[in-house]
Amino acid sequence: MMTGAKRKRNAVWRKIQAVRFEDVKVWCMRRLPILKWVPVYNWKENLVPDTVSGMMLAIQQVTQGLAFAVLSSVHPVFGLYGSFFPVIIYAIFGMGRHVATGTFALTSLISANAVERLLPSVSTNFTTNNNSEVLGLSEFEMQRIGVAAAVSFLGGIIQVAMFMLQLGSATFLLTEPVISAMTTGAATHVVTSQVKYLLGMKMPYISGPLGFFHIYAYIFENIRSVQLEALLLSLLSIVVLVLVKELNEKFQRNIKIVLPIDLVLIIATSIACYYADMEYVYGLEVVGHIPEGLPSPKPPPMNVLPEVVTEAFGVALVGYVASLSLAQGSAKKFKYTVDDNQEFLAHGLSNVIPSFFFCIPSAAAMGRTALLYSTGAKTQVACLISCVLILVVIYAIGPMLYWLPMCVLASIIVVGLKGMLMQFRDLKKYWNMDRIDWIIWVSTYVFTICFAANVGLLYGVVSTIVTVIFRFPRAKTLNLKNVKEVEYKYKTEDNCESLKQVKIVSVNNPLVFLNARKFHADLIKIIQKDSTSSQACEDVNKCEQNTLLCSFSNGSCHGELQSCHTERCVLILDCSGLDFFDYTGISVLLQIYMDCKSRHIDVLLAHCKASLIKAMQHGGNLESEKPVFFESLSSAIDAIQIHRVRLTAGCAVPAH
């Protein structure tokens, strides 16, 4: 008789034999997006813009790599490695075409907590050139990068585990106000951590609850120890960086290549520091020795992992949230899709594999993504080209950065966070659209400032869920309607004919972050189904419905939308059941409006409350040449009748 173990082995073997080549191919294409876009890459049209973008990106990667490594409390050279290895991994597994992963301020700040907690710094001066077996750095520096690499390794493992658990679908809990508040608060923390370099002060590492306030208390208590030379150089660097970057943005349409002011500033200040001997004459802190070449792979110290669990979870969540928001923004801007779960895998591997090469935790950064937008990058080829140039820096140019002042690096970090800090302007938008979201933004920011980015993120998600739970039971429900309930009669056949391309969709629930994505997907699915149909109008009951949408038609034609070059269709959203909404819900309504407009479909909203009208007007630029909001379905249909001449002209079929 066959034993149980043998039966299990046979069952596994049968499953392996049942796997076909096509199944393996589909799996590889799904999990390795590079196999999709590389074969169809347009070398003639895309190579030049990708090359230009890659060159500009390399400059930013180098400057941010050095700066964020210091922010992570490790030697600056490890930032160069962190700008090289993760980029290659993400290009293979990631789906964001304009997502430039690498060193990231928020994850660096989190990993610095672990480094300083386990290996407190005696001195932050990197000029000491101790010859050791690895990279010519001191044993102390290698222990510190070991802790940072352990945070990166464990954070990546957590992200890969979330991928395997299919937790990418849970990202709808991460609403835009929460992400905005968390990243703004974390950026404020980063700026605070750089104040000591900007002022040239020697101060101990301060962290923990309310550490933000303790840092400024220490600075004011020791204000007389400010180094005047470092302060003046910092102010000059910040003014130059802000001024030139503003001019680059203003004239970017007229010039093809922007001035790489970060690189120019690094070269200029390094030369000035060398010839003026500022390190010894003025006591100015400089970067110091930068080792040449790439390190040999070495696993991070596994004995440290139990002690960095908190920081690893922070890196995994904060890094993923910030990166995913950039990937989704890129996909929305350039009309492609991003798999939330695949991004977990891509960023997880971008942390796990590089940790064997002494890399600090990585994620996508807003500044690098904005650079790829402005320079016209098309694909991840731009990021791969930047890796080639970074390799040149690692092997040839790195040692020349010895004399780079630390206060200049701090200035580059602070100015680079301008985009995140400017999110304060979103407060006005949230106040006008949904004051509950405004309160969540402010409170999430305060929690992030008082504690940490991961604590602020957790608070934001929990408070958003609790808010929705309390708001949903208070919402009024709407009974399903029938076309007969629309008190409007067609008196002539001509009127009916002019309204045959009208579809009415009733929104039966509140529209918030919990259901906004499904609402958008289902409505677009109905529109796409109807627009590709060439058949005559079908019974409305055959339309795809869900718990959120109830479609019903009017007239002798059952409301099917037919999108053609000679027809103008109309979609009426009955918002009588839309009792409350949040920022995400309004954003989805505006996105639907723009999507339908691009399909030559007019969108009208009936039974709109004053709060809904105000929120949508503040949220986007709606068409001004004709009304969009109506008090009732009848008034909306009346408006269609008034404009039937224009609509008929757009949808008329030439008579034979």
Side-chain angles (χ1 to χ4, degrees), residues 471-626:
R471 292 174 80 181
F472 253 111
R474 297 169 55 192
K476 298 179 181 179
T477 57
L478 177 69
N479 295 327
L480 299 181
K481 289 186 176 181
N482 188 282
V483 65
K484 295 180 181 179
E485 296 176 32
V486 180
E487 297 178 357
Y488 193 89
K489 297 182 179 180
Y490 310 110
K491 296 184 179 180
T492 66
E493 185 177 352
D494 179 67
N495 286 344
C496 182
E497 191 68 24
S498 66
L499 294 171
K500 65 184 297 184
Q501 296 302 325
V502 176
K503 190 169 191 68
I504 304 175
V505 174
S506 177
V507 184
N508 298 322
N509 289 70
L511 193 56
V512 293
F513 75 97
L514 288 171
N515 55 18
R517 185 181 296 185
K518 189 174 189 298
F519 174 87
H520 180 265
D522 289 337
L523 185 56
I524 293 301
K525 189 184 298 183
I526 290 174
I527 293 173
Q528 289 176 338
K529 177 181 177 181
D530 292 336
S531 63
T532 56
S533 175
S534 59
Q535 299 177 357
C537 297
E538 299 175 353
D539 192 300
V540 70
N541 292 328
K542 295 181 181 179
C543 289
E544 194 170 340
Q545 298 191 18
N546 57 66
T547 59
L548 188 64
L549 299 177
C550 172
S551 303
F552 60 95
S553 57
N554 57 76
S556 59
C557 171
H558 293 275
E560 291 291 325
L561 288 174
Q562 297 182 13
S563 178
C564 62
H565 296 293
T566 59
E567 293 182 340
R568 190 76 177 184
C569 306
V570 182
L571 172 67
I572 300 178
L573 290 178
D574 179 9
C575 301
S576 56
L578 191 54
D579 290 275
F580 71 83
F581 47 86
D582 64 2
Y583 176 83
T584 306
I586 295 299
S587 299
V588 165
L589 281 177
L590 291 170
Q591 184 64 39
I592 289 170
Y593 181 87
M594 299 307 297
D595 287 345
C596 291
K597 183 179 178 181
S598 66
R599 299 172 186 272
H600 305 289
I601 300 174
D602 291 326
V603 178
L604 308 179
L605 287 85
H607 294 294
C608 298
K609 296 177 175 60
S611 57
L612 175 63
I613 297 174
K614 180 181 178 182
M616 291 192 68
Q617 287 175 338
H618 280 289
N621 297 320
L622 301 180
E623 288 184 275
S624 58
E625 65 269 14
K626 64 177 183 295

Side-chain angles (χ1 to χ4, degrees), residues 390 625 645:
I390 292 171
E625 65 269 14
V645 175

